[in-house]
């Protein structure tokens, strides 16, 4: 009987020890699983963060490259309404008045017919909003996209605007930069006209100063 009791006791102790070992193993496995899960979570977070950074960079790059720049003989033109690329036609549109006036042309606007007329020397350019048919000295030029009004400004296809008065245009799609080159002498005339306006302003200021000095002398 005593042997039987001893055997049962030994078996009970062995069972208890086995159970404890199994529980310890399960605890260690559970701890290892938690560590692995934490590492996987950290990897996922890193991947998300990296994706966010890439998305931010792409968004910034898109914003930068969406800005269209226009140069005439190396001089940048400033616009109050920015040039744009039409998403439907992928055509570059530029403010007509800003470019034409920079080239020395005079602009007339007929609000009733929504027609702009640009005159420079013997060249007369006529373009109407939402009409693909423009004219240069009466000859019809079919546009690949009609002019549109954006923020009260007439925007017309870049190539038409550049070539209407004899210019050539180069387009850099990577930087979205349009470089207009005018025939020899044209750019000089434009620069001289701008210089003349600056000198006229300076002369006006000088005359005003002289008049103020004369007024002071009379007093």
């Amino acid at each position: 009987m005593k042997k039987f009791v001893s055997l049962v006791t030994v078996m009970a102790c062995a069972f208890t020890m086995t159970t404890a070992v199994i529980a310890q193993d399960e605890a260690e496995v559970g701890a290892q699983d938690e560590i692995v899960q934490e590492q996987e979570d950290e990897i996922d977070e890193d991947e998300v963060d990296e994706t966010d950074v890439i998305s931010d960079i792409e968004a910034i790059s898109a914003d930068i490259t969406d800005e269209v720049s226009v140069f005439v003989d190396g001089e940048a033109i400033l616009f109050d309404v920015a040039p744009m690329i039409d998403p439907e036609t992928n055509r570059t549109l530029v403010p007509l008045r800003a470019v034409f006036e920079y080239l020395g042309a005079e602009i007339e606007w007929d609000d009733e017919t929504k027609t702009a007329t640009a005159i420079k020397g013997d060249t007369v350019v006529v373009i109407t909003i939402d009409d693909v048919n423009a004219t240069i000295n009466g000859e019809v030029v079919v546009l690949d996209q009609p002019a549109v009004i954006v923020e009260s400004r007439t925007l017309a296809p870049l190539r038409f605007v550049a070539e209407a008065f004899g210019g050539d245009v180069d387009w850099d799609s990577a930087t979205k930069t349009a470089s207009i080159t005018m025939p020899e002498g044209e750019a000089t005339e434009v620069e001289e006209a701008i210089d003349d306006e600056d000198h006229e302003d300076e002369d006006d200021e000088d005359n005003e100063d002289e008049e103020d000095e004369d007024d002071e002398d009379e007093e």
Side-chain angles (χ1 to χ4, degrees):
M1 182 66 180
K2 290 181 180 180
K3 291 182 179 181
F4 178 77
V5 172
S6 298
L7 180 59
V8 171
T9 302
V10 171
M11 291 177 64
C13 291
F15 178 80
T16 301
M17 292 177 62
T18 302
T19 303
V21 170
I22 292 173
Q24 183 177 358
D25 291 341
E26 290 177 348
E28 291 178 354
V29 170
Q32 291 177 351
D33 289 342
E34 291 180 358
I35 294 173
V36 171
Q37 185 63 44
E38 290 176 356
Q39 292 176 343
E40 290 178 350
D41 291 341
E42 290 177 358
I43 292 173
D44 291 340
E45 290 177 358
D46 291 339
E47 290 177 350
V48 171
D49 293 340
E50 184 178 355
T51 301
D52 291 341
V53 170
I54 293 174
S55 298
D56 292 341
I57 293 174
E58 290 176 346
I60 293 172
S61 299
D63 290 340
I64 293 173
T65 55
D66 279 346
E67 296 180 0
V68 177
S69 301
V70 180
F71 291 80
V72 175
D73 291 327
E75 296 291 331
I77 300 181
L78 301 179
F79 301 98
D80 53 0
V81 174
M84 59 173 284
I85 296 177
D86 191 308
E88 295 183 0
T89 63
N90 201 34
R91 298 299 181 187
T92 302
L93 304 176
V94 297
L96 181 145
R97 178 180 290 274
V99 178
F100 277 176
E101 287 185 344
Y102 188 89
L103 298 179
E106 295 182 0
I107 311 297
E108 298 176 358
W109 172 253
D110 186 331
D111 191 55
E112 183 176 350
T113 61
K114 306 298 181 187
T115 299
T117 302
I119 303 172
K120 181 183 179 183
D122 296 330
T123 303
V124 179
V125 178
V126 180
I127 185 170
T128 302
I129 299 300
D130 293 329
D131 190 346
V132 295
N133 295 315
T135 63
I136 299 178
N137 289 342
E139 295 185 7
V140 176
V141 177
V142 180
L143 308 177
D144 49 12
Q145 175 172 340
V148 296
I149 293 179
V150 177
E151 297 182 22
S152 300
R153 293 288 182 264
T154 299
L155 270 64
L158 166 66
R159 189 165 298 278
F160 171 79
V161 174
E163 296 178 350
F165 291 108
D168 292 323
V169 59
D170 289 324
W171 173 251
D172 187 334
S173 59
T175 61
K176 291 185 171 50
T177 300
S179 299
I180 300 173
T181 303
M182 297 302 295
E184 291 185 10
E186 291 288 333
T188 302
E189 292 177 5
V190 173
E191 291 174 358
E192 289 178 351
I194 294 174
D195 290 339
D196 289 341
E197 291 179 0
D198 292 339
H199 289 315
E200 288 177 1
D201 292 338
E202 291 176 358
D203 292 339
D204 291 340
E205 291 178 359
D206 291 339
N207 292 334
E208 290 177 0
D209 292 338
E210 290 176 359
E211 290 176 359
D212 292 339
E213 289 177 358
D214 292 339
D215 292 339
E216 290 178 358
D217 292 338
E218 290 177 1
E219 292 177 358

